[in-house]
Amino acid sequence: MNKSPIGIFDSGIGGLTVVKAVQAALPFERIIYFGDTARVPYGPKSQITIRKYAADDTAMLMRYQPKIIIVACNTVSALALDIVEKSCGHIPVTGVLKAGARLAAEVTKNNRVGVIGTLATVSSNAYGLAINQINEEIEVISQACPLFVPLAEEGFIDHPATKLIAAQYLAEITQKGIDTLVLGCTHYPILRKVIEETVGPEITIIDSADAVALRTRELLTEAGLLASTRNATTPHLLVSDLPQKFSMLYQLFMGSEMPDVELVEV
Ligand code: DGL
């Protein structure tokens, strides 16, 4: 089991922000990443569809016998974590949502936390519930930012269109006295610079990618499943569509040469 890979999935490229954080926290682990680029975005879809996709994505990763599964998609973490848990039997599962909620509850000083995410994540109020489970005094104010996903997928990291849309989406939430803002979608750290500039320096940004990477290290350590060899390897990447586009974006976001991407059918 120690030699088995860590399985990570997302609807598209957003989960690469989690891959990067896991590589930093656990440099000697093998990683297998699946991006469901044929069906992205998940955020505007119904709960039934998202739950079906979550089962398919888990089945895809299970073919590679992972020792843990990281749900690098807040939308799936919010609406279908139970499906992932059921589909992978005894293998531990960890999701970005709980890790991000825990970090936000620790960081806020004035107990006012903003959350931005996909329509599905925000409508589910899963962040509000998770944060209030830790501390019921915290007020959670949410805002859906659906256009951030295609902007990230297009690589519009610092584009004027991104700045304009960020100003529109974030105007209201930043007026509500929040001191902490959770990037409740793994695509959003790709646009972090613009988001930070828009909300200003007083608001602390929480990126759940780092939080979930640390949680994964804890879980593997507790289970005695850390890799026993000390060889760093490149992640094994699987996508369900457009591998060429994925490789372009990989270089942009990971800042390193792209390993081979395998096209798979879900
Ligand atoms: N990156 C995903 C998330 O964290 C999903 C974005 C989407 O597919 O809409 O929610």
Side-chain angles (χ1 to χ4, degrees):
M1 237 0 212
N2 299 51
K3 287 194 186 131
S4 302
I6 295 177
I8 304 178
F9 78 84
D10 178 44
S11 57
I13 56 154
L16 288 179
T17 57
V18 175
V19 172
K20 205 172 179 177
V22 171
Q23 276 182 323
L26 293 159
F28 305 120
E29 296 294 336
R30 282 171 56 216
I31 294 174
I32 176 126
Y33 178 79
F34 174 54
D36 191 8
T37 48
R39 304 189 295 194
V40 66
Y42 285 9
K45 304 210 164 79
S46 70
Q47 183 168 9
I48 294 179
T49 302
I50 293 164
R51 288 173 77 77
K52 182 191 171 309
Y53 289 177
D56 296 344
D57 300 342
T58 311
M60 173 62 63
L61 284 182
M62 287 305 285
R63 291 187 205 165
Y64 298 84
Q65 301 176 319
K67 57 183 168 188
I68 189 166
I69 289 189
I70 305 178
V71 181
C73 175
N74 285 270
T75 308
V76 171
S77 292
L79 295 153
L81 198 67
D82 59 318
I83 296 278
V84 179
E85 282 164 349
K86 247 183 248 155
S87 315
C88 66
H90 61 282
I91 291 168
V93 173
T94 181
V96 272
L97 194 143
K98 270 199 191 136
R102 199 176 310 147
L103 193 57
E106 269 167 36
V107 166
T108 182
K109 296 208 166 55
N110 72 354
N111 281 353
R112 292 179 75 76
V113 171
V115 175
I116 52 174
T118 66
L119 216 50
T121 300
V122 167
S123 314
S124 73
N125 192 31
Y127 264 103
L129 295 170
I131 291 173
N132 287 145
Q133 222 170 27
I134 302 162
N135 180 351
E136 57 182 25
E137 312 254 287
I138 298 176
E139 189 169 346
V140 179
I141 300 124
S142 308
Q143 169 71 50
C145 304
L147 291 173
F148 280 175
V149 173
L151 288 168
E153 293 272 332
E154 282 303 310
F156 278 20
I157 298 179
D158 205 10
H159 194 279
T162 309
K163 292 183 184 171
L164 209 66
I165 288 164
Q168 170 73 29
Y169 278 150
L170 303 172
E172 213 177 303
I173 198 166
T174 44
Q175 300 302 308
K176 302 240 164 106
I178 55 167
D179 70 349
T180 306
L181 179 69
V182 181
L183 304 182
C185 171
T186 47
H187 280 71
Y188 297 180
I190 291 165
L191 310 178
R192 181 175 179 142
K193 189 168 166 277
V194 170
I195 295 172
E196 248 167 12
E197 281 167 8
T198 310
V199 301
E202 279 83 43
I203 297 178
T204 307
I205 305 274
I206 303 287
D207 175 353
S208 47
D210 293 331
V212 83
L214 297 179
R215 180 71 189 134
T216 304
R217 192 166 64 189
E218 259 168 43
L219 287 169
L220 291 181
T221 309
E222 277 163 22
L225 286 176
L226 286 171
S228 39
T229 51
R230 300 185 70 76
N231 304 322
T233 53
T234 45
H236 182 168
L237 305 173
L238 313 167
V239 291
S240 50
D241 204 3
L242 293 174
Q244 298 84 347
K245 186 176 172 197
F246 192 84
S247 42
M248 235 174 59
L249 292 166
Y250 183 95
Q251 275 170 16
L252 193 64
F253 301 133
M254 302 290 279
S256 62
E257 260 321 289
M258 164 79 187
D260 288 343
V261 194
E262 200 181 319
L263 181 63
V264 290
E265 208 172 311
V266 256

